Amino acid sequence: MVVLGQFLEVLIGGLLAGVLYSLVALGFVLIFKASGVFNFAQGAMVLLAGLALVRSLDFMVARGIPTWAAIVLALLFAAVVMAITAALIQKLVLGPLVNQSDLSLFMATIGITFVLEGAGQMIFGSDVYPLSLFPTDAWFILDGLFEGGLLVNKLDVWGGLIAGALVAVLAIFFQRTKTGRALRAVADDHAAAESVGIPITWIWFVVWLVAGLVALTAATVWGTKLGVQFSIVFLALKALPVLIIGGFTSVPGAIVGGLIVGAGEKIAEVYLGQQIGGGIEYWFAYVLALAVLLVRPQGLFGERIIERI
């Protein structure tokens, strides 16, 4: 029973940690579904959203505004910042690159990454800023079945609830709304979508705006977990195996991929780390991604692309 309890604790902790990876991966999926391009700038967008949120929150709290009101206003301010960012990206970068190759768009997102990193830290600061929007203390569950109970982090539980809500909203957006269907059409063929009257510039603004709001959501959780700091940018690297496993075009796949990565790396670290050395957690996700690529290159939930020759 003790061994089972330890395994369940590791498994639950890994699954909940994987959901936090999925919050970042969702932003990548949105951009890829609309443009067919991997958005290298998603990590920088999380950093920018987090900086705008925490700095405006600290500013208002320092001036005596009630905490609940300051949080609401700070979230609105950060959302406006991400909307302005989306508009500038569409106007100055994506607009001139309409109907260009995927490689050109990918290189553009690399440039956007460095601009957002520099601008965000220049405007809002480059220190580590603590953020406390969710509880971070421990929570013991199933103490009646296992001695001492199973340890669960409340922040991870909040992250899971938020990710679940995001998936539901995004699924409805893509499947049930006119704009969502237009996004999918643009992803299939830019020129064909434009020829039937779909405004590509507006569609790209919308998808970057939605990706920015997803980045803000991820920043609220990751900022509470790590503090808002430059290292958040590297969440993009952590989300890459999640995308490969789940599929670059699938919103539910981003969640499932995150669960697989989170659970896999935690279990490997605890049960294999002693045999082959520590640090497995940092690279095991890429081993899983490689295994999926060998069996199903488009990912578990990715769309199989069939081209006529």
Side-chain angles (χ1 to χ4, degrees):
M1 186 65 72
V2 175
V3 174
L4 177 61
Q6 180 188 20
F7 174 78
L8 289 177
E9 185 171 291
V10 173
L11 177 62
I12 293 173
L15 291 173
L16 293 176
V19 172
L20 300 188
Y21 300 150
S22 299
L23 285 175
V24 181
L26 284 172
F28 289 96
V29 171
L30 291 173
I31 300 297
F32 194 86
K33 284 177 72 70
S35 63
V37 174
F38 178 75
N39 173 30
F40 194 79
Q42 189 64 29
M45 293 173 67
V46 176
L47 173 64
L48 177 62
L51 286 172
L53 172 64
V54 71
R55 296 297 283 159
S56 59
L57 178 60
D58 291 344
F59 176 84
M60 287 182 280
V61 170
R63 278 153 182 77
I65 298 178
T67 302
W68 68 268
I71 291 174
V72 173
L73 293 175
L75 287 171
L76 291 175
F77 173 77
V80 170
V81 169
M82 299 314 295
I84 294 173
T85 301
L88 291 175
I89 289 174
Q90 189 283 318
K91 182 69 175 179
L92 301 178
V93 181
L94 298 181
L97 293 178
V98 171
N99 295 326
Q100 296 301 310
S101 66
D102 291 346
L103 179 60
S104 298
L105 292 171
F106 172 69
M107 295 302 295
T109 66
I110 295 178
I112 292 171
T113 298
F114 292 107
V115 171
L116 293 183
E117 289 175 7
Q121 294 181 89
M122 180 179 65
I123 296 172
F124 298 109
S126 57
D127 294 332
V128 178
Y129 301 103
L131 183 64
S132 300
L133 296 183
F134 304 104
T136 58
D137 55 320
W139 182 30
F140 292 91
I141 62 174
L142 301 179
D143 52 351
L145 295 177
F146 303 99
E147 184 178 354
L150 303 181
L151 178 66
V152 176
N153 191 309
K154 290 184 179 180
L155 175 61
D156 293 340
V157 175
W158 273 101
L161 295 175
I162 292 172
L166 269 179
V167 168
V169 171
L170 292 175
I172 294 173
F173 174 71
F174 277 109
Q175 300 295 331
R176 302 294 184 182
T177 67
K178 182 178 180 181
T179 302
R181 291 191 290 268
L183 286 173
R184 291 155 57 196
V186 170
D188 291 337
D189 192 320
H190 297 171
E194 196 171 26
S195 68
V196 296
I198 296 177
I200 291 182
T201 56
W202 167 252
I203 292 299
W204 276 3
F205 165 73
V206 170
V207 75
W208 278 82
L209 172 60
V210 175
L213 296 178
V214 172
L216 173 59
T217 305
T220 62
V221 180
W222 278 102
T224 302
K225 187 179 184 68
L226 303 176
V228 179
Q229 55 181 307
F230 178 77
S231 63
I232 286 182
V233 172
F234 299 107
L235 290 174
L237 300 178
K238 201 66 174 180
L240 181 57
V242 173
L243 293 167
I244 293 174
I245 293 172
F248 280 84
T249 60
S250 174
V251 171
I255 298 296
V256 175
L259 294 176
I260 293 174
V261 167
E265 65 182 14
K266 295 296 184 184
I267 292 174
E269 180 67 33
V270 172
Y271 293 100
L272 296 180
Q274 297 178 355
Q275 283 72 35
I276 62 177
I280 297 178
E281 184 176 353
Y282 298 103
W283 54 262
F284 188 76
Y286 295 93
V287 175
L288 291 175
L290 179 60
V292 171
L293 282 175
L294 293 174
V295 177
R296 188 176 171 85
Q298 69 271 27
L300 299 179
F301 293 85
E303 299 175 358
R304 187 183 295 274
I305 299 176
I306 301 175
E307 295 183 357
R308 296 184 182 274
I309 300 177

